[in-house]
Amino acid sequence: MSKVELKSSEGKPVPDVTFRTRTPDGQWKDVTTKEIFGGKTVAVFSLPGAFTPTCSTSHVPRYNSLLPVFKKNGVDEIVCISVNDAFVMNAWQQDQRAPDITFIPDGNGEFSEGLGMLVDKKGLGFGKRSWRYSMLVKNGTIEKMFIEPEKEGDPFEVSDADTMLKYINPDFKEPDNVFMISRKGCGHCARARKALADAGYTSFEEVELGEQISVKTLLATTGRTSTPQVWINGKHIGGADETVAFLGAQKK
């Protein structure tokens, strides 16, 4: 349990800190808060640790999936901050498949401490870590903070992506979730892919039959062995012909 009195820093500038980051080619690079926040609108979420359960299964994935919506609503960048080193944060970013979220290592906890969010988690063997929170920063000034309540454990009630988006735009529209199972060299898959793109689904999940998904998986989920198989918002649409027909009906 945190012994720090957690207070909002709304209306104040973000702490002036230099982060030690690592570039994709393995070079050290110093990044300042001025570079991250200056002249931009940035949505920040901070959490206790990389690869930890809630952070990996809920916090990061939801910000990642809603990133296009944040962009449409005036947010220039989404930043994830944790008291971890640059190697860990880079590995976690890859594991989360979140190349468009900026992962910042607050290795010494200076940023978290400057915000009054550095807490003692020795009971978990973590040492000093960041409390879980989110904030909207405009040109280096904190406009809004959502700080998790001071409870035992790891509360996750208000720093989520949906709460932040509802603050930015209460009427935001969540994009449809589209998933397609395809097969390498499949002409019908190419046709379904084009139909989805023409309908505005320019970013969706696609997995080819192979090691992770087999024909048995197709049979178990759809009763079919043919590809593609398309789902939209949890509804199984079917193959290429059915997908084209479904998308055509949506236009009417």
Side-chain angles (χ1 to χ4, degrees):
M1 181 69 177
S2 166
K3 294 183 180 180
V4 176
E5 186 178 357
L6 304 172
K7 294 182 179 180
S8 173
S9 295
E10 291 176 7
K12 298 179 181 179
V14 295
D16 185 8
V17 171
T18 297
F19 300 101
R20 294 284 281 161
T21 71
R22 297 279 290 181
T23 64
D25 61 353
Q27 301 299 312
W28 286 106
K29 181 181 180 181
D30 288 349
V31 178
T32 67
T33 47
K34 290 182 180 178
E35 292 175 283
I36 296 171
F37 299 106
K40 294 183 287 186
T41 296
V42 182
V44 178
F45 64 103
S46 188
L47 33 80
F51 292 103
T52 53
T54 302
C55 306
S56 296
T57 61
S58 300
H59 216 168
V60 172
R62 188 58 173 163
Y63 272 96
N64 196 26
S65 67
L66 289 177
L67 188 145
V69 187
F70 275 98
K71 296 278 188 178
K72 287 182 180 179
N73 283 277
V75 173
D76 299 302
E77 190 171 358
I78 295 180
V79 172
C80 173
I81 296 178
S82 180
V83 181
N84 288 106
D85 63 70
F87 294 95
V88 169
M89 291 298 278
N90 286 358
W92 193 35
Q93 182 183 36
Q94 292 180 5
D95 180 75
Q96 288 288 305
R97 299 181 181 179
D100 297 320
I101 290 180
T102 302
F103 282 62
I104 295 294
D106 187 19
N108 295 323
E110 295 170 347
F111 186 84
S112 301
E113 185 173 28
L115 281 175
M117 293 290 126
L118 192 66
V119 299
D120 186 354
K121 286 188 174 285
K122 289 182 181 178
L124 296 175
F126 281 15
K128 296 292 184 71
R129 293 297 179 103
S130 173
W131 191 251
R132 195 185 296 276
Y133 68 89
S134 66
M135 62 183 180
L136 185 68
V137 182
K138 294 187 176 181
N139 193 26
T141 299
I142 301 168
E143 177 180 298
K144 183 65 177 178
M145 288 189 77
F146 294 99
I147 304 169
E148 294 298 340
E150 294 186 66
K151 297 179 179 179
E152 291 292 341
D154 181 24
F156 181 47
E157 301 174 12
V158 298
S159 62
D160 58 285
D162 293 82
T163 297
M164 178 61 76
L165 261 177
K166 287 175 184 176
Y167 168 76
I168 296 170
N169 177 10
D171 300 317
F172 85 89
K173 184 181 182 300
E174 183 175 348
D176 291 329
N177 295 301
V178 180
F179 174 63
M180 180 168 78
I181 297 177
S182 60
R183 192 190 307 261
K184 189 174 182 179
C186 167
H188 294 299
C189 299
R191 188 157 60 92
R193 199 177 294 117
K194 183 178 185 304
L196 287 166
D198 290 345
Y201 298 111
T202 55
S203 177
F204 56 88
E205 293 284 333
E206 180 178 347
V207 176
E208 286 188 357
L209 283 179
E211 293 183 2
Q212 293 183 325
I213 293 183
S214 67
V215 171
K216 287 184 177 180
T217 307
L218 276 182
L219 281 169
T221 55
T222 69
R224 306 178 186 185
T225 60
S226 61
T227 56
Q229 294 300 324
V230 175
W231 288 259
I232 298 178
N233 293 333
K235 178 182 178 181
H236 180 221
I237 305 303
D241 290 341
E242 292 153 311
T243 299
V244 170
F246 176 84
L247 295 173
Q250 296 293 98
K251 295 180 180 179
K252 298 179 181 178

